[in-house]
Amino acid sequence: MNHIKRIISVTLNSDLVSTVKHCLAKIGLNQGTFISGFIHFIANNKILPFKKLTRTEEETACKISTIRALENNECEFEKKKTIQKSINEEAFIVAKQVLQDYKLTVSHAIRMLYETFVITGKMPYQFELLPIAE
């Protein structure tokens, strides 16, 4: 079955991206799978798998990621990185509608996904790619 794909583009703090990329590699995942799984989780469960972060929590995630990037000699303090990933169009549409209830854009939700992962050190959702629930 051929699913229609959508390319999403998100600009994030480059230290945050670097830190998440390293952590995902340790568990055998990449950013594309991480983001796609997140979008599918929201589309299938109709909920955000973590609480919205406060400004302080967002800043804490950035500080943690800068420290980890320094430890890996990859620090690019205050620089931005744009990541583009291909995701299922149907899942994107459903997730976008769900996120509107939380007053979040898809980009903001993905940033919070990265920040939550850095703060907790755990997958913020149960990982599985399933067909979209009707």
Side-chain angles (χ1 to χ4, degrees):
M1 184 186 310
N2 196 4
H3 295 285
I4 298 173
K5 297 286 185 176
R6 171 182 287 244
I7 303 294
I8 59 167
S9 182
V10 182
T11 302
L12 301 168
N13 173 292
S14 83
D15 292 339
L16 183 63
V17 172
S18 174
T19 299
V20 168
K21 205 171 173 181
H22 277 283
C23 293
L24 289 172
K26 289 179 185 176
I27 59 174
L29 294 176
N30 61 41
Q31 292 179 90
T33 307
F34 187 54
I35 291 170
S36 184
F38 175 62
I39 296 299
H40 274 80
F41 178 93
I42 293 170
N44 282 316
N45 296 288
K46 312 288 189 270
I47 59 168
L48 190 65
F50 47 80
K51 68 175 182 61
K52 279 179 73 173
L53 299 178
T54 65
R55 190 75 179 133
T56 302
E57 289 168 325
E58 290 175 350
E59 290 168 357
T60 299
C62 284
K63 290 174 185 173
I64 291 169
S65 60
T66 298
I67 291 168
R68 291 193 182 147
L70 278 168
E71 292 170 349
N72 292 324
N73 293 322
E74 295 179 353
C75 185
E76 297 183 309
F77 187 69
E78 295 298 317
K79 288 190 180 178
K80 300 290 181 190
K81 182 175 274 187
T82 300
I83 54 176
Q84 292 185 326
K85 300 297 172 192
S86 173
I87 59 172
N88 178 283
E89 175 78 13
E90 187 180 349
F92 174 82
I93 291 168
V94 174
K96 185 176 177 182
Q97 291 169 344
V98 171
L99 290 170
Q100 286 174 347
D101 294 339
Y102 292 91
K103 296 181 178 29
L104 289 174
T105 64
V106 173
S107 294
H108 192 175
I110 290 171
R111 188 184 82 221
M112 290 177 106
L113 168 69
Y114 274 59
E115 292 166 343
T116 300
F117 189 53
V118 167
I119 289 171
T120 64
K122 298 176 184 171
M123 284 294 286
Y125 61 91
Q126 183 176 349
F127 186 78
E128 55 188 328
L129 290 178
L130 298 172
I132 307 307
E134 296 287 329

